[in-house]
């Protein structure tokens, strides 16, 4: 496999796009947010936060419009809020498992269409891109089995988009695997943020994220 382009230490400009996975400053209780942790992991680099708490897949192209001209790498974590918007489906009571899967499949199809279009837009900038999966809830969270099963549908769309377009994939499900990695059921704590920052820094330096994450390169 061909390695993704990388920048040497001190010469790169990493840009974070997406939602509160990166824009988590409001949830860490005064602790460091992901962007501050990433700057520590990449001394000498510029690191820019364009991700916006609460944003959805369709908001990422707007963030791309603000991409700095000297950006060298982009990482996107988006889709969690879109998946959350489909949460009411879990309360439906269809008459059969087949019909339930059909309802979830329709949600996945729309999600996939939106995600593929977003990633195409991001890649138009011509920079190395990594995308993140949607992570699970804390291991002790009630109903995690159901949540994991539902998220598999949306994460399948993310991985297919990444693989088909040669983007790197950072699997947050493997990185944030402890209760302490979460500030609440949907945002990372400073501990989780540190793990995420290390994976992003490894992608920046080496073209692959740190251990406990997965990258596919073209």
């Amino acid at each position: 496999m061909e390695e993704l382009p990388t920048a040497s230490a001190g010469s790169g400009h990493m840009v974070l796009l997406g939602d509160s996975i990166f824009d988590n400053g409001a949830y860490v209780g005064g602790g460091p947010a992901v962007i501050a942790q990433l700057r520590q992991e990449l001394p000498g680099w510029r690191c820019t936060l364009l991700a916006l708490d609460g944003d959805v897949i369709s908001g990422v192209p707007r963030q791309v419009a603000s991409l700095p001209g000297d950006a060298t790498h982009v990482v996107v974590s988006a889709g969690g809020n879109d998946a959350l918007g489909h949460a009411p489906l879990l309360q439906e009571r269809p008459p059969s498992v087949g019909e339930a899967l059909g309802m979830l499949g329709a949600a996945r199809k729309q999600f996939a269409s939106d995600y593929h279009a977003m990633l195409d837009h991001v890649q138009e900038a011509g920079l190395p891109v990594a995308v993140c999966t949607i992570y699970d809830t804390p291991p002790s969270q009630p109903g995690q089995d159901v949540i994991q099963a539902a998220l598999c549908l949306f994460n399948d769309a993310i991985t297919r988009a990444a693989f088909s377009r040669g983007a790197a994939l950072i699997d947050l499900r493997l990185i944030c695997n402890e209760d302490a990695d979460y500030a609440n059921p949907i945002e990372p704590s400073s501990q989780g943020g540190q793990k995420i920052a290390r994976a992003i820094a490894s992608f920046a330096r080496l073209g692959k994220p740190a251990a406990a994450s997965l990258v596919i390169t073209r």
Side-chain angles (χ1 to χ4, degrees):
M1 291 182 295
E2 179 185 348
E3 290 294 328
L4 285 170
T6 59
S8 60
S11 64
H13 186 172
M14 175 65 69
V15 181
L16 304 183
L17 306 177
D19 53 31
S20 60
I21 300 302
F22 295 153
D23 186 23
N24 68 327
Y27 306 101
V28 293
V34 168
I35 188 64
Q37 293 166 317
L38 183 59
R39 288 168 180 152
Q40 290 181 337
E41 294 290 330
L42 290 173
W45 283 53
R46 290 187 64 192
C47 298
T48 296
L49 177 69
L50 296 180
L52 183 64
D53 182 11
D55 224 338
V56 293
I57 292 170
S58 62
V60 174
R62 182 188 67 252
Q63 298 172 16
V64 173
S66 299
L67 199 67
D70 64 346
T72 60
H73 293 70
V74 176
V75 180
V76 184
S77 183
N81 291 319
D82 301 78
L84 191 61
H86 293 294
L89 288 176
L90 299 179
Q91 307 304 318
E92 296 287 338
R93 296 182 178 274
S96 70
V97 173
E99 290 189 46
L101 289 174
M103 294 167 59
L104 292 170
R108 179 208 168 280
K109 184 176 181 179
Q110 181 60 58
F111 180 98
S113 176
D114 294 342
Y115 199 92
H116 280 249
M118 177 274 291
L119 186 52
D120 285 343
H121 191 90
V122 172
Q123 290 191 307
E124 287 176 2
L127 301 174
V129 176
V131 299
C132 300
T133 61
I134 303 168
Y135 59 22
D136 301 319
T137 55
S140 65
Q141 181 76 12
Q144 196 201 45
D145 288 348
V146 173
I147 293 169
Q148 284 184 348
L151 286 178
C152 281
L153 296 168
F154 301 107
N155 279 318
D156 176 73
I158 292 173
T159 56
R160 286 173 185 264
F163 297 166
S164 64
R165 285 158 174 76
L169 179 69
I170 298 175
D171 198 332
L172 297 185
R173 295 170 295 182
L174 303 181
I175 294 172
C176 295
N177 57 0
E178 302 176 277
D179 282 352
D181 294 333
Y182 297 82
N184 59 48
I186 59 174
E187 272 93 19
S189 65
S190 287
Q191 175 177 303
Q194 186 67 59
K195 293 181 177 181
I196 294 169
R198 286 173 181 163
I200 295 171
S202 182
F203 161 68
R205 292 196 184 103
L206 307 174
K208 60 183 179 181
S213 54
L214 175 66
V215 62
I216 299 295
T217 59
R218 57 174 175 265

